[in-house]
Amino acid sequence: MKRPPDAGDILQGTLDMLILRTLLMGPAHGHAITEVIEHTSENALEVEQGSLYPALHRLEDRGLVSSQWGVSENNRRAKFYTLTSKGRKELSAATGRWHRMTRAIGLILGESHE
Amino acid sequence: MGLPGELKRRIQMLFHREQFRRDLEEEMRLHLDLRRQQQLDRGLSPVEAARAAHLKFGNTTRIKERSLMAWGSETLESFFSDIVYGARALFRSPALTVVALLSLALGIGANTAIFSLLDAVLLRSLPVKDPQQLVLLGRGNSSGIGDNFVSTELYSYPFYRQLQQKNAVFSGVAAIFSMTDDVHGFVLNNEGESNTDSQLMHVNLVSGTYFPMLGVRAQLGRTLNEADDSSEGDHPVVVLSHGFWKRSLASDPNVLNRKIKLGTTIFTIVGVAHREFFGTSVGESPDMWVPMSMTKSVPPGWDAYNKNFVQSMNVIGRLKPDVSLAQATTNVNLLLQQITRGFSDAVLSQKNLNKLSKTHVPLTPMANGLSSIRQEFSEPLQILMAVVALVLLIACANIANLLLARSTARARELAVRQALGARRSRLIRQLLTESLVLALAGGMLGIGFAVVANRFLLRMVSDGFETLPLDIGLNLRLLGFTFAVTVTTAILFGTIPAFRATRLHLTDSLKDGRGPGGARAKNPLAKVLVVSQVALSLVLMVGAGLFLRSLVNLNHIDPGFNRENVLRLQVETDVTGYKEDDPRLNALFQQIESRVSALPGVKAASFSSFTFHEGSWSDAIFVSGMPNNENIEVHQNVVGNGYFDTMQIPLIAGRTFSTADTATSQRVAVISEHIAKTLFPPGNPVGHHFGLGDNKPEHDFEVIGIVKDAKFDSLQENSENVNYLSYLQRPWNFGDFEVRYSGDFSNISASVQQAIKSINHNVRISHVTTLDDQVARTVTNQRLVAQLSTFFGLLAVFLSAIGIYGLMSYVVSRRTNEIGIRMALGAARSNVSWLVLREILLLVAIGIAIGIPVALAADRLVANMLVGFKGADPVSLTAAVVLLLLVTSAAGYFPAKRASMVDPMEALRYE
């Protein structure tokens, strides 16, 4: 059942960061988060639902997001996820790590910066 | 979120699982709907939109599971559901479950029970201070009272005193009377009255050093001390055992005010020994300990306190910390020479001095205590231990086989579940839980079984009158061990197939069961298990056969007397207060004999000091004109005039005792045929004289008759050296009374007891039984081993048969497809049966081929337990092989028959 690796698959561990980044703009439910990530990345990134919900619950378990029930755009009961202050800190740390890493990889690949 | 909050949430999760699940489902449903809407907006048809949404979404079950896992509650939750699921799965196949549970229970239970007994008899240390420092003078295989010049097993009390003073190697020395005295005594209340009937009390005489030297404390009051043993006859004190205090005095806290009456003496209770202390002899816990200084007051009133050459004591010493066993042995042997020669009444004849100089006392470590039952039971118990260990192996093989077959049959189920999104680790854990449920349930049953079996065993080894006082609490270490072995087996073999199955490519497994691929699926592990089960069963069956034949042979040995129709009982005359040489005692005996002989249905009756297997009084005899070998011990039996008629021991020459042989006439003796031939000069020994023991003039006897040899101590003994003396000439404080009767045992028994009571209603009658029973009881060991090994042998065969049945049923079900094809192509039903049977027979044949040499080797190990034949016994071997073949063929027959019943069309449609 293994599929060949695809650029569309989100690197392991970065999904958490992307979710946190998405929630920085305000509370959102699962579908909205997927939509935002996919649109913002111009459909280059595709969020597998199989990963999304476990990731959300993992984040909630770690106290990085909190959730409350609300009403969705189509008037259905939906669970909205909100970034906590702990989540904000984690996001900035993760973003820092990410920048450091992409820069390092860029250097190795010989890309110029600035 | 702090730790307490975290924990609180986790626990809430556990209880609000359902809520969480519903929320999650709703959340995902919304997601799907929104996505479908999105696809619809893009112009897809509703069906296509739903499909695309689902495709993108993935496996919802798996998401749910992983989401739950993210909350960390999955492990605990799934554990519970696995247990429920496992139990349900077990109930679905009750036959397998019952067999597996029984295998486990018997494997664990039998091992634990037998080992617990083995432990109590052989291995456990005495509950005293530093038991490893204790040593025994001699080997500890003798008890009684003797009057030799020197002995390496038993010692006189004065010898113990001297050794205590002169030795340089022991920090303490104690002496223990080598027999417990069985006394019918009374417990008195504060006013010195007895409000109960007399009761049997086992009294052990010990030196005053006994308790202090062993380091045993009192539970109540004090123990005995050196002062109690300082001078003869004036220290009537007694220390009770904890068991007796509890049993007979209802743990009375004021017990120190009460008294015990033994014979005619009233003893003060000064203490109760510590709860754990049962004495120094395993299997003989005394009810009370009395200082040796009171020996004459405790019936039968042995006179041994001041006699330098009356040996009756076991002597134990506690090694000083820096003294080795070798140093102690040297010191003790040096002192033995000095002390024996130094006694003022030592007869320093050349013969005695020669004997003394050749005497060497070995020291035996006695951390585990003395024991007469140890020698008796150590071999049978070890054999039984080996037997049950094999049964444990077979049980494990059986469980392995059953679980293996079952789990393999479930490979497809596992594949389906994996395809539906179950994780591999999750499946493995579930099978593990199932095996665990099975193993633990079996283990619990096993513990229950062990408890029951333990009591049963103890009753079997006890002599019928009293249960052996052994602490046979279950051995927890062994229980743990057997538990671990069986549980590991269950888990291992229950889980191996899970690993195997889940590693497979799913699509292959899903297709499995179709085509010959499944039929070819060999199961070498299961086959190896069956072969080893068969081999082990054969070994056990052969062993059982040997022990059974041995028992039969033993029961066919002619004891030399007629064991049928003899009532025997014990008449105790302590209460009369007559001493051994009191003529009134002999008069009482004669009166009883004549009164009982006259009863209707009674053919003959007689007192005797021994009948069969009751210990002995042995002494050398000295025949003039013959080289006297004082090492040939002759059993001396003091009997009444009617003894030979009662026992039906045939007279060969001369006459037996008559009323003409009195205290004042020439002392006479009747000898056994064997001594007539070996110890007397050729020719007729009747009329010859011989000396007994110390060869003093008053111990001169004339042979008046020769009787056929009769067994004296055991059915297996070879030397039948018995010399019979008349109690009218050689007084004896009897116990044994034998009555030959015809008719109903209980009627005779009642009328005999009544007759005895009518003569003197104070005498006590006990141990009423038959001679046959008494003889049969001496083969308890052999019977125990034969019965138990037969039981376990049959059990082993049964387990193997089940193993074979299980394996073959499985194989047949796997091959249904293939069989269908064969039959469709024209194979006869008998061919199909044979196809299956052939496989079984091959496995059984291999098992037997392996089993035979092992069984033959094992025979040699038990050779000296066997009676009437040596080692390799073709009958037992053949019987075992035939039985095994029959049973295993039967076990294979049903699957084979089922295979032949396969309907080809049905089989081809199968799966």
Side-chain angles (χ1 to χ4, degrees):
Chain A
M1 297 276 274
K2 275 251 152 90
R3 286 186 307 182
D6 189 327
D9 285 337
I10 293 176
L11 275 170
Q12 193 86 44
T14 56
L15 178 61
D16 288 7
M17 181 176 70
L18 296 181
I19 292 172
L20 293 177
R21 179 66 185 81
T22 309
L23 292 177
L24 196 58
M25 298 177 282
H29 55 69
H31 185 252
I33 295 172
T34 321
E35 292 288 290
V36 170
I37 291 177
E38 288 178 3
H39 279 131
T40 317
S41 70
E42 291 167 351
N43 285 331
L45 295 179
E46 197 173 292
V47 180
E48 266 211 63
Q49 277 67 46
S51 314
L52 176 72
Y53 286 99
L56 277 171
H57 291 124
R58 198 163 51 238
L59 291 172
E60 192 177 359
D61 187 34
R62 287 166 61 199
L64 302 181
V65 301
S66 62
S67 67
Q68 49 290 131
W69 288 94
V71 178
S72 74
E73 56 270 33
N74 61 348
N75 268 334
R76 290 266 301 272
R77 211 164 88 92
K79 201 176 190 183
F80 285 85
Y81 294 88
T82 314
L83 199 60
T84 64
S85 57
K86 199 175 163 194
R88 260 173 235 277
K89 273 181 222 150
E90 172 61 28
L91 176 61
S92 71
T95 317
R97 278 198 303 274
W98 177 260
H99 284 312
R100 277 196 300 282
M101 195 178 75
T102 46
R103 181 171 180 270
I105 293 172
L107 286 174
I108 291 165
L109 296 178
E111 289 167 10
S112 59
H113 277 263
E114 308 300 311
Chain B
M1 200 178 284
L3 191 67
E6 167 91 9
L7 193 69
K8 197 172 139 210
R9 209 203 64 226
R10 286 265 146 98
I11 291 169
Q12 272 175 352
M13 271 298 297
L14 203 60
F15 292 107
H16 300 116
R17 259 203 319 266
E18 277 312 310
Q19 176 69 41
F20 180 82
R21 219 185 279 273
R22 277 199 300 277
D23 286 355
L24 189 61
E25 263 164 30
E26 182 159 2
E27 204 177 354
M28 291 192 301
R29 205 161 43 233
L30 174 73
H31 195 125
L32 268 172
D33 287 349
L34 285 172
R35 184 158 296 273
R36 200 179 57 222
Q37 189 60 46
Q38 207 174 25
Q39 305 287 352
L40 279 174
D41 292 349
R42 281 185 198 162
L44 267 69
S45 75
V47 176
E48 277 173 322
R51 187 178 133 76
H54 270 289
L55 260 181
K56 184 128 192 267
F57 199 81
N59 187 330
T60 50
T61 313
R62 191 155 185 162
I63 295 174
K64 273 190 252 173
E65 206 172 277
R66 281 175 56 195
S67 294
L68 264 172
M69 193 168 64
W71 284 99
S73 72
E74 187 224 29
T75 317
L76 202 55
E77 188 211 343
S78 62
F79 180 67
F80 287 124
S81 69
D82 279 357
I83 286 184
V84 173
Y85 186 85
R88 247 175 33 215
L90 292 176
F91 277 118
R92 258 205 313 275
S93 41
L96 175 132
T97 307
V98 166
V99 171
L101 284 181
L102 274 182
S103 306
L104 280 166
L106 287 168
I108 295 174
N111 273 279
T112 311
I114 292 193
F115 188 81
S116 299
L117 191 58
L118 189 79
D119 180 51
V121 172
L122 293 178
L123 306 175
R124 205 179 296 158
S125 287
L126 286 177
V128 302
K129 196 181 109 209
D130 300 328
Q132 70 286 351
Q133 291 175 346
L134 298 178
V135 293
L136 171 79
L137 270 61
R139 296 263 175 244
N141 48 20
S142 180
S143 65
I145 185 160
D147 50 357
N148 304 299
F149 181 64
V150 63
S151 141
T152 58
E153 287 297 330
L154 300 176
Y155 301 86
S156 67
Y157 185 83
F159 174 86
Y160 144 74
R161 277 295 185 198
Q162 298 257 340
L163 182 74
Q164 186 191 23
Q165 287 155 19
K166 293 181 176 161
N167 85 82
V169 291
F170 297 125
S171 59
V173 183
I176 309 150
F177 200 79
S178 63
M179 303 176 278
T180 48
D181 294 323
D182 297 344
V183 188
H184 286 278
F186 296 88
V187 179
L188 308 182
N189 61 15
N190 300 352
E191 284 81 44
E193 291 156 355
S194 164
N195 36 21
T196 54
D197 208 4
S198 72
Q199 53 178 310
L200 184 61
M201 302 175 183
H202 304 287
V203 185
N204 201 187
L205 292 160
V206 293
S207 66
T209 50
Y210 184 72
F211 286 98
M213 180 270 206
L214 290 174
V216 173
R217 290 175 301 112
Q219 186 88 25
L220 210 67
R222 64 171 177 92
T223 59
L224 299 178
N225 56 38
E226 194 65 301
D228 297 319
D229 196 25
S230 55
S231 52
E232 186 170 15
D234 49 4
H235 297 94
V237 292
V238 58
V239 168
L240 303 182
S241 76
H242 190 269
F244 183 80
W245 175 56
K246 209 172 138 191
R247 204 167 51 243
S248 296
L249 289 139
S251 305
D252 180 2
N254 297 319
V255 64
L256 300 185
N257 296 327
R258 298 176 72 169
K259 306 220 183 313
I260 298 264
K261 188 178 176 194
L262 302 173
T264 53
T265 311
I266 291 172
F267 288 78
T268 307
I269 299 172
V270 294
V272 174
H274 193 259
R275 172 196 305 272
E276 282 178 11
F277 184 70
F278 59 83
T280 30
S281 277
V282 176
E284 259 174 43
S285 35
D287 295 323
M288 58 197 71
W289 293 271
V290 169
M292 188 60 197
S293 59
M294 298 304 294
T295 173
K296 276 190 195 161
S297 307
V298 177
W302 304 105
D303 182 9
Y305 196 69
N306 293 314
K307 299 276 196 267
N308 294 338
F309 288 96
V310 171
Q311 293 95 357
S312 61
M313 315 294 290
N314 286 126
V315 175
I316 55 177
R318 184 181 285 283
L319 290 175
K320 284 181 181 168
D322 48 348
V323 172
S324 72
L325 195 64
Q327 287 170 313
T329 309
T330 311
N331 187 249
V332 165
N333 277 288
L334 187 73
L335 287 172
L336 178 80
Q337 304 288 329
Q338 284 178 11
I339 296 170
T340 310
R341 284 162 197 256
F343 283 130
S344 55
D345 54 345
V347 180
L348 297 175
S349 65
Q350 196 53 47
K351 192 185 78 185
N352 280 350
L353 289 176
N354 273 345
K355 186 174 176 185
L356 182 61
S357 67
K358 283 185 204 142
T359 305
H360 177 84
V361 178
L363 294 191
T364 312
M366 63 161 268
N368 304 339
L370 287 161
S371 183
S372 54
I373 56 167
R374 184 169 300 149
Q375 282 163 318
E376 201 181 336
F377 288 117
S378 76
E379 203 170 20
L381 282 177
Q382 282 170 30
I383 287 174
L384 287 178
M385 197 63 224
V387 166
V388 292
L390 289 183
V391 170
L392 183 66
L393 276 182
I394 293 177
C396 283
N398 216 23
I399 296 164
N401 219 337
L402 290 169
L403 290 178
L404 211 53
R406 194 166 84 106
S407 315
T408 316
R410 286 168 66 182
R412 199 158 169 274
E413 177 204 329
L414 296 183
V416 169
R417 293 172 62 182
Q418 217 177 352
L420 289 176
R423 274 168 304 121
R424 187 178 169 207
S425 63
R426 183 73 188 69
L427 283 179
I428 290 173
R429 204 166 58 218
Q430 191 217 317
L431 285 186
L432 201 79
T433 313
E434 267 185 55
S435 307
L436 204 65
V437 168
L438 183 73
L440 291 180
M444 293 301 143
L445 273 181
I447 295 172
F449 177 70
V451 172
V452 176
N454 224 338
R455 308 204 175 287
F456 176 70
L457 265 179
L458 188 64
R459 253 206 310 281
M460 270 178 96
V461 299
S462 301
D463 72 355
F465 291 112
E466 284 179 281
T467 309
L468 276 178
L470 285 176
D471 172 20
I472 47 148
L474 291 186
N475 187 290
L476 291 181
R477 257 179 308 163
L478 190 88
L479 188 65
F481 171 74
T482 49
F483 214 93
V485 168
T486 44
V487 168
T488 309
T489 312
I491 289 172
L492 194 64
F493 288 91
T495 322
I496 283 179
F499 278 102
R500 239 197 252 159
T502 52
R503 207 175 43 228
L504 290 173
H505 292 288
L506 291 179
T507 41
D508 286 355
S509 256
L510 285 171
K511 279 186 296 195
D512 197 14
R514 284 206 175 275
R520 287 287 125 73
K522 294 289 179 205
N523 211 337
L525 189 54
K527 287 181 180 172
V528 168
L529 288 174
V530 164
V531 167
S532 42
Q533 274 187 316
V534 170
L536 290 174
S537 306
L538 182 77
V539 174
L540 290 184
M541 286 301 294
V542 172
L546 290 177
F547 292 128
L548 272 183
R549 281 202 66 201
S550 179
L551 181 66
V552 170
N553 287 347
L554 204 52
N555 277 326
H556 281 138
I557 289 176
D558 176 17
F561 51 83
N562 182 355
R563 54 196 269 195
E564 306 293 329
N565 289 326
V566 176
L567 158 75
R568 70 162 296 304
L569 46 77
Q570 210 110 321
V571 178
E572 279 154 51
T573 52
D574 311 333
V575 279
T576 61
Y578 301 153
K579 291 284 172 249
E580 187 173 279
D581 47 4
D582 193 318
R584 285 177 296 179
L585 200 56
N586 274 353
L588 177 66
F589 293 143
Q590 279 179 298
Q591 218 181 336
I592 292 175
E593 280 180 348
S594 63
R595 180 85 54 96
V596 169
S597 302
L599 289 174
V602 171
K603 294 173 175 167
S606 172
F607 279 95
S608 69
S609 43
F610 308 98
T611 46
F612 183 74
H613 191 69
E614 293 183 334
S616 76
W617 162 38
S618 298
D619 235 330
I621 66 171
F622 301 96
V623 182
S624 49
M626 290 292 283
N628 291 312
N629 186 346
E630 61 182 295
N631 291 328
I632 297 179
E633 298 253 288
V634 176
H635 300 304
Q636 311 290 333
N637 197 357
V638 180
V639 301
N641 293 351
Y643 185 74
F644 300 101
D645 287 339
T646 310
M647 298 293 279
Q648 293 190 341
I649 301 173
L651 181 70
I652 293 176
R655 64 173 179 90
T656 58
F657 303 116
S658 73
T659 44
D661 304 310
T662 63
T664 49
S665 68
Q666 164 65 40
R667 287 163 186 269
V668 293
V670 174
I671 58 175
S672 68
E673 195 180 359
H674 190 257
I675 31 180
K677 281 183 186 148
T678 53
L679 299 181
F680 283 83
N684 188 353
V686 174
H688 262 75
H689 283 242
F690 67 88
L692 190 59
D694 50 12
N695 210 2
K696 285 181 185 152
E698 65 266 33
H699 291 149
D700 169 69
F701 287 88
E702 183 188 329
V703 177
I704 54 165
I706 303 168
V707 291
K708 255 194 89 197
D709 288 334
K711 306 277 182 189
F712 190 79
D713 196 45
S714 90
L715 288 173
Q716 284 161 274
E717 72 188 0
N718 289 321
S719 66
E720 287 125 346
N721 290 327
V722 190
N723 179 42
Y724 301 91
L725 306 173
S726 165
Y727 73 79
L728 295 176
Q729 297 185 329
R730 179 22 175 123
W732 186 275
N733 194 345
F734 284 122
D736 279 19
F737 185 57
E738 297 87 45
V739 179
R740 176 159 296 278
Y741 67 94
S742 60
D744 180 56
F745 172 78
S746 44
N747 286 345
I748 293 288
S749 167
S751 60
V752 166
Q753 291 183 50
Q754 212 175 4
I756 297 173
K757 287 280 187 186
S758 72
I759 293 165
N760 184 335
H761 78 272
N762 283 328
V763 297
R764 177 156 297 281
I765 296 168
S766 63
H767 295 75
V768 182
T769 180
T770 63
L771 184 61
D772 190 45
D773 207 44
Q774 193 176 357
V775 175
R777 228 177 282 131
T778 64
V779 297
T780 304
N781 266 336
Q782 285 87 349
R783 204 171 49 238
L784 183 76
V785 172
Q787 285 171 346
L788 289 183
S789 63
T790 306
F791 172 71
F792 287 119
L794 291 176
L795 182 74
V797 173
F798 173 70
L799 289 180
S800 306
I802 300 235
I804 288 173
Y805 178 79
L807 178 72
M808 284 306 138
S809 300
Y810 166 67
V811 166
V812 166
S813 75
R814 296 278 286 185
R815 289 174 74 168
T816 306
N817 225 286
E818 179 204 339
I819 292 167
I821 294 174
R822 281 174 189 267
M823 290 176 85
L825 292 178
R829 291 196 182 280
S830 59
N831 281 351
V832 172
S833 300
W834 176 239
L835 193 73
V836 177
L837 262 183
R838 196 182 53 190
E839 195 163 344
I840 297 166
L841 290 179
L842 183 69
L843 292 183
V844 173
I846 297 173
I848 289 177
I850 296 172
I852 286 178
V854 179
L856 291 179
D859 280 4
R860 232 163 289 143
L861 288 180
V862 299
N864 60 339
M865 280 284 291
L866 303 178
V867 179
F869 57 94
K870 290 229 183 314
D873 174 40
V875 181
S876 309
L877 193 59
T878 318
V881 169
V882 169
L883 183 73
L884 205 52
L885 275 175
L886 277 178
V887 173
T888 50
S889 310
Y893 173 76
F894 294 102
K897 195 172 163 207
R898 204 180 312 141
S900 74
M901 292 301 180
V902 165
D903 175 357
M905 287 320 291
E906 195 107 318
L908 290 173
R909 274 200 300 266
Y910 180 71
E911 287 287 331

